[in-house]
């Protein structure tokens, strides 16, 4: 991009180069930290079509965005979602096309995703014990997810990263096992502190909170963690283990504020542009897309204008009421 090309720069001088696109709010699992057991999902007419999402991807990349992450809900349960990857993969200027998935559908789709240009895949895995895995996901089959991880490895993505949300008394005692699992397979792993998004009903979030420092202390009993300055364009901070390719990341929205270097925005399945994960500031892109079906310039103007309302940061408070009412499945992880 030349110096004069329009770019997405906010009031604090941060350039948005990374967009997370949620393609559905639906999912085949019901993870306790993400969803309530009974969820009402969006009616189809309110969800962006795959063509509209691809169009947004094109507009974003023409404004200097280099990384797109497809997420959800579970993106791979959306019908015909491969056509979206096929449309996004060849976009000029796009350096990284990535996916966040629970892996249940990867045995079916891993090869096609690689062929469409997906470079990296993040896979959620919170437990290696079948019964616990089922309890945390409310209906998941660990064997199916492990088969998905194998399929991703066989497909040959540049990098595969596991995401583990760690909750006290649910899986905090598995952090060493999860690192061993990642090490044995040459995968990266990021531990995520639970964020207070949406009412979930399953547990008290303040009670379940397990901070990154405690995870590092637990891992320190077995491994020598070496701090690094590496980053992958996301909010995680990384450590390495001597002699291993595996990176161990920590996303700590409570303990470490990562807002000052924030380079990303999110688009919900219904086309709401969210300027910050922890705030409600948003722009209705669906309206702009549908009012200007042939005019990408109008869409790009709306994206540039939206930069003026990107907030400086968030301040999650586990005890605060009301919390952010969006669930993570509508936000896109
Ligand atoms: N279904 C896919 C998956 O599970 O990977 C993609 C969407 S999911 C919403 C994206 C990520 O958000 C997952 O890694 C999940 O563990 C994480 N997540 C969901 N709810 C969360 C919460 N309340 N706090 C922190 N992470 C959360
Ligand atoms: Fe589904 Fe992902 Fe949310 Fe779990 S974290 S319920 S897999 S969207």
């Amino acid at each position: 991009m030349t110096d004069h090309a329009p770019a997405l720069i906010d009031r604090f001088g941060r350039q948005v180069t990374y967009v997370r696109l949620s393609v559905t709010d639906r999912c085949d699992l019901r993870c306790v930290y993400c969803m309530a057991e009974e969820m009402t999902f969006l009616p189809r007419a309110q969800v962006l079509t795959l063509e509209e999402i691809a169009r947004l991807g094109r507009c974003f990349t023409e404004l200097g965005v280099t990384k797109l992450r497809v997420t959800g809900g579970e993106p791979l349960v959306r019908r015909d979602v491969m056509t979206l990857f096929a449309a996004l993969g060849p976009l000029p200027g796009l350096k990284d096309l990535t996916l966040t998935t629970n892996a249940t559908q990867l045995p079916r789709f891993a090869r096609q995703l690689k062929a469409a240009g997906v470079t990296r895949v993040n896979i959620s895995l919170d437990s290696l014990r079948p019964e616990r895995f089922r309890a945390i996901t409310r209906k998941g089959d660990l064997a199916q997810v492990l088969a998905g991880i194998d399929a991703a490895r066989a497909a040959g993505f540049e990098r595969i990263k596991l995401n583990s949300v760690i909750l006290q008394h649910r899986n905090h005692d598995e952090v060493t096992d999860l690192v061993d699992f990642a090490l044995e397979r040459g995968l990266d792993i990021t531990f995520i502190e639970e964020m207070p998004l949406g009412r979930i009903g399953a547990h008290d979030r303040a009670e379940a909170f397990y901070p990154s420092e405690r995870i590092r202390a637990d891992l320190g009993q077995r491994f020598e963690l070496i701090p690094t300055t590496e980053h992958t364009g996301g909010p995680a901070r990384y450590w390495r283990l001597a002699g291993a390719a595996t990176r161990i990341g920590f996303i700590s929205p409570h303990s470490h504020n990562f807002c000052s270097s924030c380079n990303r925005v999110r688009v919900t399945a219904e086309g709401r542009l969210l300027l910050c994960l922890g705030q409600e500031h948003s722009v209705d892109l669906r309206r702009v897309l549908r009012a200007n079906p042939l005019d990408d310039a109008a869409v790009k103007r709306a994206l540039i204008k939206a930069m003026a309302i990107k907030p400086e940061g968030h301040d999650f408070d586990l005890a605060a009421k009301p919390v952010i009412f969006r669930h993570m499945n509508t936000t896109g992880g």
Side-chain angles (χ1 to χ4, degrees):
M1 207 173 67
T2 70
D3 286 348
H4 303 295
L8 298 173
I9 298 175
D10 75 2
R11 291 171 296 153
F12 307 97
R14 298 170 300 189
Q15 182 174 358
V16 169
T17 55
Y18 176 8
V19 178
R20 298 185 176 215
L21 299 167
S22 174
V23 301
T24 179
D25 61 334
R26 289 163 200 258
C27 186
D28 51 349
L29 303 182
R30 291 285 182 280
C31 302
V32 290
Y33 46 76
C34 179
M35 293 198 192
E37 194 150 16
E38 297 298 327
M39 295 284 290
T40 309
F41 294 108
L42 293 166
R44 266 180 228 297
Q46 288 184 26
V47 174
L48 293 187
T49 65
L50 294 173
E51 291 75 14
E52 286 167 334
I53 299 171
R55 186 174 168 214
L56 276 182
R58 186 171 73 231
C59 292
F60 274 118
T61 53
E62 289 176 3
L63 291 171
V65 166
T66 57
K67 176 170 173 180
L68 294 175
R69 174 172 298 283
V70 175
T71 181
E74 174 46 43
L76 299 184
V77 302
R78 174 130 191 205
R79 185 177 305 170
D80 296 330
V81 73
M82 279 314 135
T83 61
L84 175 65
F85 289 99
L88 296 177
L91 286 175
L94 187 63
K95 293 189 188 134
D96 241 341
L97 178 58
T98 66
L99 163 73
T100 304
T101 176
N102 64 24
T104 60
Q105 310 302 311
L106 279 180
R108 207 169 128 211
F109 289 130
R111 274 176 195 284
Q112 292 176 58
L113 288 163
K114 176 74 173 66
V118 172
T119 46
R120 296 189 285 153
V121 181
N122 286 2
I123 297 175
S124 295
L125 180 68
D126 302 325
S127 176
L128 294 164
R129 304 184 197 176
E131 275 159 33
R132 263 195 195 181
F133 183 84
R134 182 171 295 272
I136 294 175
T137 59
R138 290 204 185 93
K139 51 209 275 192
D141 173 6
L142 180 64
Q144 190 185 353
V145 167
L146 296 181
I149 294 173
D150 286 342
R153 293 172 66 212
F157 295 104
E158 264 168 43
R159 271 200 117 96
I160 300 171
K161 180 165 76 92
L162 303 177
N163 279 336
S164 305
V165 176
I166 299 301
L167 305 176
Q168 169 135 278
H169 304 314
R170 277 202 185 256
N171 63 348
H172 77 268
D173 54 345
E174 279 194 69
V175 293
T176 309
D177 292 349
L178 286 162
V179 169
D180 277 332
F181 179 90
L183 273 173
E184 283 158 16
R185 292 160 183 77
L187 315 178
D188 290 336
I189 181 163
T190 291
F191 293 106
I192 304 175
E193 288 176 356
E194 186 183 17
M195 293 172 239
L197 297 170
R199 294 198 189 283
I200 47 168
H203 56 262
D204 178 333
R205 285 185 143 138
E207 213 174 281
F209 182 57
Y210 201 75
S212 295
E213 291 93 272
R214 284 186 67 185
I215 301 174
R216 278 196 292 277
D218 297 345
L219 293 176
Q221 307 276 327
R222 256 283 304 285
F223 305 106
E224 192 193 337
L225 293 179
I226 306 163
T228 77
T229 53
E230 294 171 59
H231 62 91
T232 56
R237 301 190 307 146
Y238 286 95
W239 273 252
R240 276 193 186 264
L241 302 180
T246 293
R247 286 185 290 202
I248 304 181
F250 295 88
I251 298 184
S252 320
H254 307 284
S255 18
H256 291 282
N257 202 303
F258 47 65
C259 302
S260 63
S261 60
C262 180
N263 61 347
R264 61 203 154 271
V265 294
R266 296 172 162 76
V267 181
T268 69
E270 52 186 335
R272 243 194 336 143
L273 177 69
L274 297 174
L275 283 309
C276 173
L277 181 57
Q279 306 267 8
E280 299 285 5
H281 303 68
S282 69
V283 173
D284 181 0
L285 293 178
R286 187 182 63 204
R287 193 190 54 74
V288 182
L289 286 164
R290 293 184 182 172
N292 302 279
L294 300 172
D295 182 9
D296 279 2
V299 178
K300 288 195 254 181
R301 277 197 301 277
L303 297 178
I304 291 170
K305 194 167 157 219
M307 291 300 107
I309 59 164
K310 185 165 166 63
E312 188 165 16
H314 70 249
D315 187 15
F316 284 132
D317 179 356
L318 289 173
K321 291 184 179 63
V323 293
I324 300 275
F325 289 109
R326 281 180 268 116
H327 284 92
M328 193 64 153
N329 69 306
T330 59
T331 301

